[in-house]
Amino acid sequence: MNVAFYERIWMWAATAIIAIFLGAIFVTAAAQAVEPPSHIETVDPTTILSHPEFGKPAITTRPDGSVVVPVVAGMFSFAPDPIEVPANVRVTFRLTSADIIHGFQVVGTNANAMAIPGYVSQFTVTFPKPGEYAIACNEYCGLLHHNMVGKLVVK
Ligand code: CUA
């Protein structure tokens, strides 16, 4: 079969692009701890205000010293805000939404998850550096999306 020279160039280019994209997935998964969601837990978004954990989300400390932070994202803020956690301690965020899909990204760290109504997104991170971090919503959620910013204080 005779494949034209330019056709061959484009075939190799397409193959290289696929290899780069697949490689990027493996590199980020291995080196930057990017994980697919693995925790399936549901919550009724219509009764979130009276929910024992998410109604008045409060930060709790487990007997082993690790910290659990329930977070409710809603148009256009996060609760609680600010979130205060200790440095160098395992922090488990349990995240849900009261209305529509929001993002929860602690800027400058790899803490980043979607807040999905009806589901609890859970992930655990450790913040080695004390300081103030912005929490940004990175899913477009409406007219005031750009104002949906929270604060994380690592002490
Ligand atoms: Cu919430 Cu964008």
Side-chain angles (χ1 to χ4, degrees):
M1 189 174 67
N2 182 35
V3 180
F5 177 63
Y6 283 116
E7 193 78 19
R8 263 183 285 152
I9 289 177
W10 285 111
M11 283 164 61
W12 281 112
T15 307
I17 288 170
I18 291 168
I20 289 168
F21 285 177
L22 278 176
I25 292 172
F26 289 121
V27 167
T28 52
Q32 299 180 331
V34 176
E35 301 169 355
S38 56
H39 174 90
I40 297 181
E41 181 182 342
T42 55
V43 61
D44 182 355
T46 60
T47 58
I48 206 97
L49 287 177
S50 56
H51 190 276
E53 181 181 7
F54 294 107
K56 288 195 174 68
I59 299 167
T60 54
T61 304
R62 288 182 178 138
D64 66 357
S66 64
V67 170
V68 180
V69 184
V71 180
V72 179
M75 287 188 259
F76 295 96
S77 62
F78 297 100
D81 185 31
I83 296 170
E84 291 190 5
V85 296
N88 291 309
V89 155
R90 285 167 65 79
V91 178
T92 299
F93 287 98
R94 290 172 48 75
L95 181 66
T96 191
S97 168
D99 38 47
I100 58 171
I101 290 178
H102 298 276
F104 180 91
Q105 178 176 17
V106 183
V107 177
T109 72
N110 69 347
N112 186 359
M114 286 168 86
I116 304 169
Y119 291 89
V120 178
S121 307
Q122 178 172 312
F123 62 96
T124 300
V125 284
T126 301
F127 299 102
K129 270 197 232 150
E132 287 191 7
Y133 298 80
I135 299 169
C137 173
N138 57 13
E139 298 281 343
Y140 183 72
C141 54
L143 282 180
L144 295 179
H145 160 72
H146 60 283
N147 279 352
M148 188 163 169
V149 179
K151 193 201 279 183
L152 174 77
V153 181
V154 179
K155 290 188 164 171

